[in-house]
Amino acid sequence: MSRSPHHATQLRSLGSHGTLVPLPQQPALQNSSSHSRASLCEPRPWGLSCLLALQHILVLTSLLCASHLLLLRNLPPGRLSYSPAQLLASSLFSCGMSTALQTWMGSRLPLVQAPSLEFLIPALVLTSQKRPLAIQTPGNSSLVLRPCRGPGCHGLEPWNTSLREVSGAVVISGLLQGTLGLLGGPGHLFSYCGPLVLAPSLVVAGLSAHREVALFCSAHWGLALLYVLIPVACVWIVSALLGLSIIPLELSAPIEAPWFWLPHPAEWDWPLLTPRALAAGISMALAASTSSLGCYALCGRLLHLASPPPHACSRGLSLEGLGSVLAGLLGSPMGTASSFPNVGTVSLLQAGSRRVAHLVGLLCVGFGLSPRLAQLLTTIPLPVVGGVLGVTHAVVLSTGFSSFHVADIDSGRNVFIVGFSIFMALLLPRWFREAPVLLSTGWSPLDVLLRSLLTESIFLAGLLGFLLENTIPGTWLERGLSQGLPSPFTAQEAQVPQKSRKKADQEYELPFPIQNLCPCIPQPLRCLCPLPENSGNEEGGSSEPGETADLLPGFEEQCQV
């Protein structure tokens, strides 16, 4: 990985930091912070912002089409009572609204909200238990979706019921995730997530989609590899000219779709709330929260900002939960969460801007209001979808590996934590997928919960890394927590002057009109607002030695440097 200093002019990837920066190079770090601050705060030209927004739209569309396609293929043969384009349009509308809220008053990072794989896995578990055992899905083929015409269509009820139940799980996950954010619990736990918690999670996140990427790219490896050399639009045009229309029939068949519609709750029917949907919703909320916290840390570091404070994390998770509730009520089978592929796009484009994120939200809302335009996005060939997901996840994987240098990777303690977290997070999901006998406790909702959580690789990596990091004794320097700062990747933050750190912290503050409402917020919800200055390390101030003690009592004395 390159560590040359010329990458620091505007936005650097995680691998460009190298080892701990010595004190004589502090001015360079300060300059890089100012450049990143400019890249986030100063709006870019409108023309460039529109082009960057289109890049993010293509990445989001790839993730959206992939998740919907994998879910619909997992259902038994059946029919839809509405156009598949309307299903995609409702998801795009909720993603656009969630993205706008997230960048305006959520975490304030330029994060695009999209349906992540953390929603797909519980949805597959929830729908697979209803499939007859005799039904097998072909390896690389696709089920042909045809719209139901008439009330007596055969196979209509199973599809409607399954999708309504998944939508109910999405609503439950949004309510739970929003509640967790309002209470501020995940935001405060985030302070205990050092490099040895977040870096394994990023590595597993980069590897989590390799099976799906291989499935899509196998349709035509030539087109998939061509995307690495030229942009998506060029590959799209080349495939159309050569007649290589390797497109899933589920999403791109010429089906009647309106040019304009206004998404509203109960468009097709209300979400179905069942005990099984409750179990899947709990798994979705826990996995999506874990993934989003990793996205916050990764995006903040790519922009050379301070680690997201607890109040920014709490607001972000709350508004992500609101977006998932909206998506479920609109009938979408996928919720909204911060997207790792779009964070990887920020690293590839070497640019991050709130204006770009706002434009992405506006475009998503526009596509959501027109199912016919949403259907146009589904004409992207499957190999291109696989190539997009492969490149962006590869960036996340590489940044995860490059983050290990912050801690003492030669330490036997750290080697065990990293290896065990990654290995078990990859082993358990694979074993459950290939187990000859499904997990059965005798109660279906508990089966759905256990199978969903134990196949969420990012959740497993984060949970195992968090428990091991905060229970196995180690010094602050060994753990990559220089000077006892309880935030991820702080070994480099400790080299940044206090004044620059405070300026970076201002990026996470609420907009000025909303800041005036903070004194009116009830005390239990004050976790959503920044603390006053000099009130502790949440706003970048210095921390006392005892504030970041391990969760296991008695280790504080051993952890002092």
Side-chain angles (χ1 to χ4, degrees):
M1 290 174 288
S2 175
R3 302 181 187 272
S4 56
H6 68 275
H7 291 290
T9 57
Q10 190 173 39
L11 176 71
R12 296 184 297 178
S13 65
L14 292 179
S16 61
H17 283 286
T19 57
L20 292 179
V21 182
L23 292 177
Q25 298 183 4
Q26 287 182 5
L29 281 173
Q30 187 174 359
N31 292 336
S32 67
S33 178
S34 62
H35 282 297
S36 65
R37 178 176 164 82
S39 68
L40 180 63
C41 296
E42 296 181 3
R44 296 182 176 275
W46 281 103
L48 178 59
S49 297
C50 292
L51 292 177
L52 295 176
L54 288 177
Q55 290 278 6
H56 282 283
I57 284 289
L58 291 176
V59 175
L60 186 150
T61 301
S62 301
L63 189 59
L64 191 67
C65 293
S67 58
H68 280 74
L69 177 61
L70 292 172
L71 176 61
L72 294 178
R73 287 183 56 180
N74 191 64
L75 297 175
R79 300 172 186 265
L80 286 175
S81 59
Y82 46 87
S83 170
Q86 291 176 281
L87 198 65
L88 294 174
S90 64
S91 296
L92 283 169
F93 184 84
S94 58
C95 289
M97 296 295 295
S98 183
T99 299
L101 291 174
Q102 186 69 231
T103 54
W104 177 47
M105 57 181 298
S107 66
R108 301 281 290 160
L109 291 168
L111 290 170
V112 175
Q113 305 295 293
S116 62
L117 295 179
E118 285 67 47
F119 289 97
L120 176 62
I121 295 175
L124 294 177
V125 173
L126 186 62
T127 56
S128 63
Q129 289 199 344
K130 285 191 171 184
R131 288 185 61 180
L133 296 179
I135 296 179
Q136 299 292 334
T137 304
N140 290 332
S141 61
S142 300
L143 295 172
V144 179
L145 281 183
R146 301 188 183 279
C148 176
R149 304 185 185 278
C153 294
H154 177 71
L156 172 63
E157 185 64 26
W159 276 51
N160 282 358
T161 304
S162 297
L163 292 180
R164 286 178 57 206
E165 193 173 24
V166 175
S167 297
V170 171
V171 172
I172 293 172
S173 71
L175 293 175
L176 180 58
Q177 189 174 6
T179 303
L180 292 175
L182 292 175
L183 296 178
H188 289 289
L189 288 179
F190 186 68
S191 301
Y192 294 94
C193 297
L196 297 180
V197 179
L198 293 171
S201 300
L202 296 179
V203 171
V204 173
L207 295 172
S208 60
H210 72 282
R211 295 175 65 251
E212 291 76 13
V213 170
L215 175 65
F216 295 143
C217 291
S218 62
H220 197 291
W221 283 101
L223 286 179
L225 296 176
L226 193 62
Y227 164 70
V228 182
L229 304 177
I230 59 178
V232 174
C234 298
V235 182
W236 200 352
I237 295 174
V238 169
S239 63
L241 293 177
L242 298 179
L244 301 176
S245 55
I246 308 172
I247 307 171
L249 298 178
E250 296 93 330
L251 305 177
S252 61
I255 299 174
E256 295 181 1
W259 279 103
F260 176 81
W261 76 319
L262 184 61
H264 59 275
E267 171 71 20
W268 304 292
D269 209 339
W270 289 102
L272 186 61
L273 302 179
T274 63
R276 300 171 70 254
L278 175 62
I282 294 174
S283 175
M284 290 178 179
L286 295 177
S289 299
T290 304
S291 175
S292 296
L293 291 176
C295 283
Y296 298 163
L298 176 59
C299 186
R301 187 171 186 235
L302 287 174
L303 297 173
H304 290 265
L305 299 175
S307 299
H311 64 83
C313 296
S314 299
R315 292 197 311 267
L317 293 180
S318 300
L319 291 179
E320 285 185 13
L322 180 61
S324 295
V325 171
L326 175 63
L329 292 177
L330 295 180
S332 173
M334 295 290 159
T336 62
S338 298
S339 167
F340 272 117
N342 285 98
V343 177
T345 305
V346 170
S347 177
L348 289 174
L349 299 178
Q350 299 287 287
S353 171
R354 292 196 188 106
R355 172 178 286 182
V356 174
H358 288 150
L359 287 175
V360 172
L362 182 62
L363 290 174
C364 287
V365 171
F367 282 115
L369 294 175
S370 177
R372 190 67 63 89
L373 292 179
Q375 189 174 14
L376 175 65
L377 295 176
T378 64
T379 59
I380 301 177
L382 280 183
V384 177
V385 173
V388 170
L389 296 180
V391 170
T392 53
H393 278 83
V395 173
V396 177
L397 174 65
S398 63
T399 52
F401 278 123
S402 65
S403 304
F404 288 123
H405 74 274
V406 179
D408 182 8
I409 199 58
D410 293 326
S411 166
R413 169 193 182 273
N414 295 350
V415 168
F416 170 75
I417 292 176
V418 170
F420 187 81
S421 300
I422 296 178
F423 183 76
M424 294 303 296
L426 298 176
L427 173 66
L428 286 177
R430 181 180 180 88
W431 183 85
F432 274 98
R433 284 196 304 265
E434 300 181 358
V437 180
L438 297 179
L439 176 66
S440 177
T441 62
W443 190 36
S444 181
L446 184 58
D447 295 341
V448 172
L449 177 62
L450 293 178
R451 288 184 58 196
S452 299
L453 287 178
L454 294 177
T455 51
E456 293 275 13
S457 56
I458 297 179
F459 172 76
L460 292 175
L463 178 64
L464 292 174
F466 178 82
L467 294 177
L468 295 175
E469 165 71 355
N470 290 281
T471 54
I472 301 178
T475 63
W476 293 117
L477 185 61
E478 184 181 20
R479 299 166 61 182
L481 301 175
S482 180
Q483 297 185 6
L485 296 177
S487 55
F489 308 121
T490 51
Q492 288 143 350
E493 289 181 17
Q495 308 293 334
V496 181
Q498 182 75 10
K499 183 177 179 180
S500 300
R501 208 181 304 155
K502 287 184 177 181
K503 290 182 179 180
D505 286 336
Q506 294 176 357
E507 303 295 343
Y508 298 105
E509 293 183 356
L510 288 166
F512 181 74
I514 303 180
Q515 288 184 21
N516 298 330
L517 301 177
C518 285
C520 304
I521 295 179
Q523 185 63 33
L525 302 181
R526 289 290 177 89
C527 60
L528 303 179
C529 296
L531 293 177
E533 292 185 2
N534 302 326
S535 60
N537 57 10
E538 183 173 331
E539 292 304 305
S542 60
S543 59
E544 297 298 331
E547 289 180 355
T548 57
D550 294 73
L551 298 182
L552 190 62
F555 285 163
E556 179 181 355
E557 294 79 5
Q558 303 179 41
C559 295
Q560 302 299 322
V561 178

